[in-house]
Amino acid sequence: MSVLVIDDNPDVIQAIKVLLLLNDIQCEGVTSPQQGLEMVRSKQFDLVIQDMNFTRDTTSGTEGKALYKAIRDLEPDLPIILLTAWTNLEMAVELIKDGAADYLAKPWKDHKLVTSVKNLLEMRELQDQVSSAANQRNARLQKLKAQYDLCGVVVADPAMLSLLEMATQVAHSDAPILITGPNGAGKEKIAEIVQANSSYKHKAFIKVNAGAIPADLIEAELFGVESGAYTGAQKSRAGRFEAADGGTLFLDEIGNLSLTGQQKLLRVLQSGEFERVGSTETKRVNVRVISATNSNLPEAIRAGTFREDLYYRINMIELKLPPLSERKEDIAVLVDHFLPSNKGLSNAAMKQLKHHTWPGNVRELENTIGRAVLLSPGQEIECEHLAIQIPQHEEPLEYTQADIEAALDSADGVVSKAARKLGLSRQALYRRMEKFGLK
């Protein structure tokens, strides 16, 4: 990490250099705004400490303001500490609002200067890590989009990117795939991506929700029925396997299939053969089966409600879809996808969305945004328009301003140490410091 000091007094530069070097922080210095701007253009710095006045007997701070604006134009995210012997409160407030990181008066207190520098460098490092991770994720996503049909999926979280990479990698195989995950998380979308990148992509793609079909009718739905097989079966009808012949059958909520239906499904997967309900004629099909469930199938096996041999037959490749609560980075991109172009979200509303545990997953988020769009009279959606009921157990352990200040004091103002004392991450502590206006 490297700091640039811009001050017309060489003694000030030397003093700050020594102070920072004693704290293992690299530092360079120049004595004019022109030299400072040239250094910012030519080298990489993580923090700038700049004077506010460069002409003798000048105390207005206008030179420093101009320098600050010029640096900000070159490096919008570079943190800047303003330093002056002539403290101008109005200008300090103005530049702090504009994004200046801190404002210290000369003569400064060494402890305060070092603490401010360390905290800002920590924050800069964290921002660089976040930016680097985001760039890596975007590169992975762009690579996937260039190679595969992702069926319009909206994703940003690393866990989902890993799942998509695996799904597209195994899509070309004829092996049966089991997609597991909670309701509303997007299992059907993953099945569509697998089918779209398989050798069956131009063939039939038949979807069956076993959980929505009565147990006594599901065999007829899957395997077809002959006329007169049971009351109400007035004519013969082909089942979903026949409809999917040569293509793909997506069997959702497979855990709801009866034991008799499971036995017939196992036979189809092993031999490609089955009989319609009420018929002795054996039919043969070639179908790629993708199954999905929100059930715990190993537990169902132990309970005797799911066949173990079928489980291993459908589970040659398992794609585990995480719930939305475990892929928080998807929330912002999904919200942007669901929002119409004429609506936006307040910062507070977005924070509430990211805090919620989303038991209904992506489907719940889509419904929440759709409802908020209807309830919000203006262009910006606020917390009250979301109408999210947050259970008591979701409330985070919160700290008062006194707790935060005490932790910072005991850690000599170093945020990382204070965060460890409170059992928080640095990001979480920074958010609470921002909330209470602490530097």
Side-chain angles (χ1 to χ4, degrees):
M1 306 298 279
S2 180
V3 176
L4 173 64
V5 180
I6 310 172
D7 196 294
D8 61 337
N9 188 336
D11 293 336
V12 168
I13 294 174
Q14 186 61 28
I16 295 177
K17 270 188 177 183
V18 171
L19 181 62
L20 296 185
L21 287 172
L22 287 173
N23 286 273
D24 298 320
I25 299 171
Q26 297 299 313
C27 183
E28 295 186 48
V30 292
T31 57
S32 73
Q34 294 75 21
Q35 290 174 312
L37 290 174
E38 185 56 39
M39 290 288 278
V40 171
R41 286 192 190 95
S42 60
K43 299 186 69 172
Q44 182 69 44
F45 292 97
D46 300 291
L47 174 67
V48 168
I49 302 173
Q50 66 150 86
D51 194 10
M52 290 297 292
N53 297 293
F54 291 89
T55 303
R56 185 179 297 276
D57 299 326
T58 297
T59 61
S60 67
T62 54
E63 294 171 309
K65 181 179 178 180
L67 174 59
Y68 169 85
K69 295 287 188 183
I71 295 174
R72 185 60 75 230
D73 287 342
L74 290 173
E75 293 285 347
D77 298 324
L78 184 62
I80 300 172
I81 295 177
L82 307 173
L83 197 64
T84 181
W86 308 93
T87 305
N88 184 320
L89 186 58
E90 262 186 45
M91 185 166 292
V93 170
E94 179 187 347
L95 295 185
I96 289 291
K97 284 182 177 179
D98 191 61
D102 206 348
Y103 193 103
L104 300 177
K106 297 177 184 178
W108 63 84
K109 292 181 180 178
D110 287 354
H111 171 74
K112 186 173 182 181
L113 177 60
V114 170
T115 297
S116 182
V117 168
K118 283 185 175 180
N119 286 339
L120 289 169
L121 290 179
E122 272 191 13
M123 191 179 295
R124 175 75 168 181
E125 183 180 15
L126 179 62
Q127 290 170 342
D128 288 345
Q129 290 171 359
V130 170
S131 177
S132 176
N135 289 338
Q136 290 176 4
R137 289 195 302 271
N138 187 57
R140 289 171 66 187
L141 181 58
Q142 294 309 315
K143 182 178 179 181
L144 281 170
K145 285 182 175 179
Q147 294 179 325
Y148 303 103
D149 179 1
L150 299 186
C151 301
V153 71
V154 177
V155 61
D157 195 273
M160 279 299 291
L161 283 172
S162 296
L163 179 71
L164 289 176
E165 287 167 345
M166 184 175 180
T168 50
Q169 182 180 348
V170 302
H172 69 280
S173 167
D174 290 341
I177 290 175
L178 176 63
I179 305 170
T180 57
N183 282 336
K187 298 189 292 294
E188 185 175 330
K189 175 61 71 173
I190 299 302
E192 289 174 2
I193 291 171
V194 170
Q195 196 271 344
N197 295 282
S198 71
S199 57
Y200 301 94
K201 63 183 178 181
H202 298 303
K203 305 292 180 64
F205 183 37
I206 306 298
K207 303 175 184 179
V208 183
N209 186 344
I213 301 173
D216 56 345
L217 295 179
I218 197 164
E219 289 178 49
E221 284 293 323
L222 290 179
F223 308 112
V225 61
E226 288 295 331
S227 175
Y230 55 79
T231 302
Q234 297 178 355
K235 60 180 180 179
S236 298
R237 178 167 53 86
R240 304 300 179 90
F241 267 96
E242 287 181 72
D245 191 18
T248 302
L249 177 67
F250 174 53
L251 188 54
D252 200 5
E253 302 306 343
I254 194 173
N256 290 37
L257 196 61
S258 68
L259 287 171
T260 303
Q262 291 176 34
Q263 183 179 7
K264 288 191 173 183
L265 178 59
L266 179 63
R267 181 185 174 204
V268 175
L269 294 177
Q270 288 175 331
S271 65
E273 296 179 345
F274 67 95
E275 289 82 33
R276 290 180 180 178
V277 175
S279 172
T280 57
E281 180 188 352
T282 298
K283 293 183 177 293
R284 176 177 288 275
V285 292
N286 177 25
V287 175
R288 199 264 183 90
V289 174
I290 302 173
S291 306
T293 184
N294 68 341
S295 304
N296 186 327
L297 293 186
E299 196 172 275
I301 291 169
R302 289 190 291 271
T305 58
F306 201 84
R307 294 181 60 114
E308 186 172 14
D309 48 1
L310 176 59
Y311 174 70
Y312 290 116
R313 174 64 66 172
I314 64 174
N315 192 25
M316 189 173 295
I317 298 169
E318 182 175 358
L319 300 175
K320 296 181 180 180
L321 185 59
L324 188 57
S325 61
E326 294 179 12
R327 42 185 171 114
K328 294 286 190 182
E329 291 181 47
D330 278 350
I331 292 176
V333 293
L334 284 167
V335 168
D336 187 58
H337 176 70
F338 296 142
L339 275 177
S341 58
N342 64 333
K343 290 282 186 177
L345 224 68
S346 70
N347 290 335
M350 180 58 78
K351 286 179 181 178
Q352 190 175 77
L353 291 178
K354 290 184 176 180
H355 172 67
H356 189 47
T357 55
W358 299 110
N361 295 288
V362 178
R363 189 177 298 131
E364 181 188 359
L365 176 61
E366 183 176 10
N367 290 341
T368 297
I369 296 301
R371 181 176 60 246
V373 168
L374 295 175
L375 294 176
S376 58
Q379 290 186 332
E380 189 164 71
I381 294 172
E382 300 290 352
C383 293
E384 60 265 26
H385 304 135
L386 298 174
I388 294 175
Q389 297 297 322
I390 300 179
Q392 187 64 34
H393 69 270
E394 286 187 27
E395 293 297 329
L397 178 62
E398 200 46 86
Y399 297 96
T400 64
Q401 181 173 345
D403 294 330
I404 302 294
E405 289 175 337
L408 288 168
D409 287 341
S410 64
D412 295 323
V414 178
V415 172
S416 57
K417 290 182 181 178
R420 285 195 294 271
K421 289 178 181 290
L422 293 170
L424 298 170
S425 65
R426 286 184 301 175
Q427 303 97 307
L429 182 51
Y430 277 127
R431 288 196 295 270
R432 285 159 177 78
M433 289 171 66
E434 181 181 2
K435 173 183 174 182
F436 294 120
L438 300 175
K439 291 285 183 183

